[in-house]
Amino acid sequence: MKNGYSFSQRLVHWLTLLVIIVVYLAIENRGLFERGSDERALVMLTHFYAGFTILILAIIRLVLRMTNSVAPIDPLPPVWLQRSAMLGHVLLYAFLLAMPIIGLVMLNAKGGSLDLFGVSLPSLWPKDPEMAEQLEELHESIGKFGYVLIGLHAVVALVHHHVLKDNTLTRMTRGR
């Protein structure tokens, strides 16, 4: 009987976290470099590529979640907690999918594009500086919300482990 997530699910989960850390480090540290400098451009490019990687990882995570079964939480938490967990996961997946898409549309609206291995990704939006500004504000606001969402996810996992003493955390660390 399964007692946790598959190796691939755990790998993609923790890889997603590492790439999220890269995204946040890049954007938070861009101010260390002068506007227009090669160093700042590299930091922003890192942010863009890492963000796109998160989009790919989120899609992979969804496919894995739909195709792999997982052992139930033991002991089973109350229904209200199960529903709260479902809401939390929906918000996390929405965050992981929406942020890179908003970022790509914002980049296009600024007149830019993202190149992968020398191939320019198709533009999702025509150049529109006003739209780009609105999307940038939205992207930043959701990004700040992401700190709270990810922090809550980690705290709740620790509460499950240390207070509720169930297998929620070990399902993602030890696997099957």
Side-chain angles (χ1 to χ4, degrees), residues 18-170:
L18 289 174
V19 179
I20 287 171
I21 291 168
V22 170
V23 164
Y24 275 114
L25 283 174
I27 205 64
E28 293 295 341
N29 288 302
R30 74 186 184 276
L32 297 174
F33 306 102
E34 242 180 84
R35 284 185 184 268
S37 70
D38 289 344
E39 295 85 2
R40 187 173 178 127
L42 179 61
V43 168
M44 292 309 296
L45 196 59
T46 300
H47 179 78
F48 297 145
Y49 281 130
F52 186 76
T53 301
I54 288 171
L55 178 61
I56 300 303
L57 289 170
I59 292 167
I60 292 169
R61 287 180 69 153
L62 283 170
V63 169
L64 288 171
R65 189 168 183 113
M66 290 185 289
T67 58
N68 288 272
S69 60
V70 179
I73 298 172
D74 183 32
L76 197 61
V79 173
W80 70 267
L81 196 54
Q82 293 175 51
R83 289 187 179 145
S84 297
M86 185 176 288
L87 174 62
H89 282 101
V90 166
L91 289 173
L92 278 167
Y93 279 103
F95 171 76
L96 293 174
L97 293 167
M99 284 297 282
I101 292 170
I102 293 169
L104 281 170
V105 173
M106 177 181 64
L107 183 63
N108 294 155
K110 287 182 176 183
S113 65
L114 190 60
D115 294 335
L116 292 177
F117 308 109
V119 177
S120 187
L121 291 178
S123 183
L124 301 174
W125 199 267
K127 186 173 181 176
D128 183 344
E130 186 178 312
M131 176 63 83
E133 190 175 311
Q134 292 171 356
L135 289 171
E136 188 167 3
E137 288 177 22
L138 178 64
H139 193 70
E140 286 179 17
S141 296
I142 296 173
K144 289 176 184 171
F145 175 69
Y147 281 118
V148 174
L149 193 59
I150 295 163
L152 277 173
H153 182 68
V155 167
V156 168
L158 292 172
V159 166
H160 272 278
H161 189 70
H162 294 290
V163 177
L164 300 176
K165 303 206 184 291
D166 63 29
N167 69 339
T168 297
L169 182 60
T170 58

